[in-house]
Amino acid sequence: GLALAACGTALNRRGASTAGRALTGPAAALLRQGMALKPAPARHALAADRIHELVMDDGVRLQVYAWGESVGGVPVLLQHGFAANTRANWVEPGVVAALRDAGRPVLAVDARGHGGSDAPHDPAYYGEARMARDLAMVADALALERFDLVGYSMGAIVALLVAADSRRVRRLVVGGIGEAAVELGGVDHRVFDPLLLADDLLREDPAGVHQSGSLLFRLFAERMGGDRHALAAQARSFHRVPIALSAIRAPVLVIAGRRDVLARNPQRLADALPDAERVQVPGDHLGAVAQPALARAITTFLSH
């Protein structure tokens, strides 16, 4: 989306910095590839029909966006990735528009610490397991007896946890993750360390980051107007325990960008699920989101 393109521009301006000159390894590839992102067309800026503000059991208020009427069919519930929000992950890239064109009612949640939702700074309020409880509570509050679920990156881990614990999920799409979800129980922290990411998010001078991948997420967060203290709290709470993948009974689509270093070997994840298929689209971890092929794959899979 537009924020991603602006992030790439900012990265180019920082090319002469110490951090920019020292880029090596997989995280450096993630950082460099982020520069190639292009803005999404303005026609994809689809305003929500309704915005719900729901309070979770720990007092955190979540913002939930709705398009269409749930009585018109099985709704699709969307959960974005780390440092993003509903607008950047789903609206600007055209995913919401594609689903609405297909006649599907759509709901999307700004995760705690992101977008329009509350952003406490205590890591005890975070983690994908906590966010999975949030989605279950959203489904309860909106009386969703059956829904399709789509998650990307951090949101994909959340979606796997929800589907492993609930038979309400009819079909599931997870993007931006691969073998690490099987082997590590979360996003691939072999590419960059979440604890160092948390420290880097809070540094006064971004040129002093410990790892190059942190710079991309930090600049992205700043362009999104994100709360870096809240994002650091989530980074300290990333999910690192096994996910009960064999308990997921819903058919699953695994989507990964061909150059996504955070979604290496997506077939390994597909093979670990009882009923799954895999598709790859052009792009890296952030760029794949803006690909029309991703919206088409999601819409087609959920139409069955």
Side-chain angles (χ1 to χ4, degrees), residues 14 19 23 27 31 82 191-222 227-233 235-236:
R14 293 181 181 272
L23 302 184
L31 178 61
F82 179 72
V191 176
F192 57 85
D193 187 330
L195 297 182
L196 290 181
L197 171 61
D199 291 342
D200 289 341
L201 284 167
L202 300 180
R203 283 180 173 272
E204 290 298 322
D205 182 3
V209 297
H210 290 97
Q211 50 190 356
S212 57
S214 296
L215 184 57
L216 174 60
F217 280 107
R218 179 179 174 131
L219 291 174
F220 179 41
E222 290 175 352
D227 184 325
R228 289 190 287 115
H229 288 271
L231 294 174
R236 296 186 193 282

Side-chain angles (χ1 to χ4, degrees), residues 47-245:
D49 296 327
R50 295 172 307 286
I51 298 177
H52 303 280
E53 293 196 347
L54 304 177
V55 179
M56 300 296 100
D57 55 355
D58 59 356
V60 172
R61 179 192 55 85
L62 299 185
Q63 197 147 287
V64 181
Y65 306 85
W67 293 264
E69 298 291 340
S70 295
V71 294
V74 177
V76 181
L77 182 58
L78 306 173
Q79 181 64 80
H80 62 76
F82 179 72
N85 55 38
T86 292
R87 175 180 56 80
N89 210 144
W90 306 121
V91 178
E92 288 185 354
V95 175
V96 171
L99 289 167
R100 291 298 297 133
D101 288 346
R104 301 299 298 275
V106 179
L107 296 161
V109 178
D110 275 351
R112 53 180 59 213
H114 297 72
S117 294
D118 285 348
H121 292 173
D122 184 347
Y125 283 92
Y126 290 95
E128 287 89 333
R130 173 63 252 193
M131 292 175 178
R133 285 172 57 196
D134 290 344
L135 286 193
M137 293 184 71
V138 167
D140 289 342
L142 300 181
L144 306 183
E145 296 181 0
R146 195 83 164 147
F147 58 92
D148 290 341
L149 181 57
V150 183
Y152 194 82
S153 192
M154 174 192 78
I157 301 301
V158 174
L160 288 172
L161 291 168
V162 171
D165 191 51
S166 175
R167 294 292 177 263
R168 288 187 288 182
V169 179
R170 188 188 72 99
R171 294 178 81 81
L172 174 66
V173 180
V174 292
I177 58 173
E179 65 183 10
V182 182
E183 299 171 0
L184 306 175
V187 296
D188 199 339
H189 57 73
R190 296 168 300 193
V191 176
F192 57 85
D193 187 330
L195 297 182
L196 290 181
L197 171 61
D199 291 342
D200 289 341
L201 284 167
L202 300 180
R203 283 180 173 272
E204 290 298 322
D205 182 3
V209 297
H210 290 97
Q211 50 190 356
S212 57
S214 296
L215 184 57
L216 174 60
F217 280 107
R218 179 179 174 131
L219 291 174
F220 179 41
E222 290 175 352
R223 297 300 305 187
M224 299 293 292
D227 184 325
R228 289 190 287 115
H229 288 271
L231 294 174
Q234 167 58 21
R236 296 186 193 282
S237 305
F238 272 149
H239 200 267
R240 296 169 179 259
V241 298
I243 301 170
L245 299 175

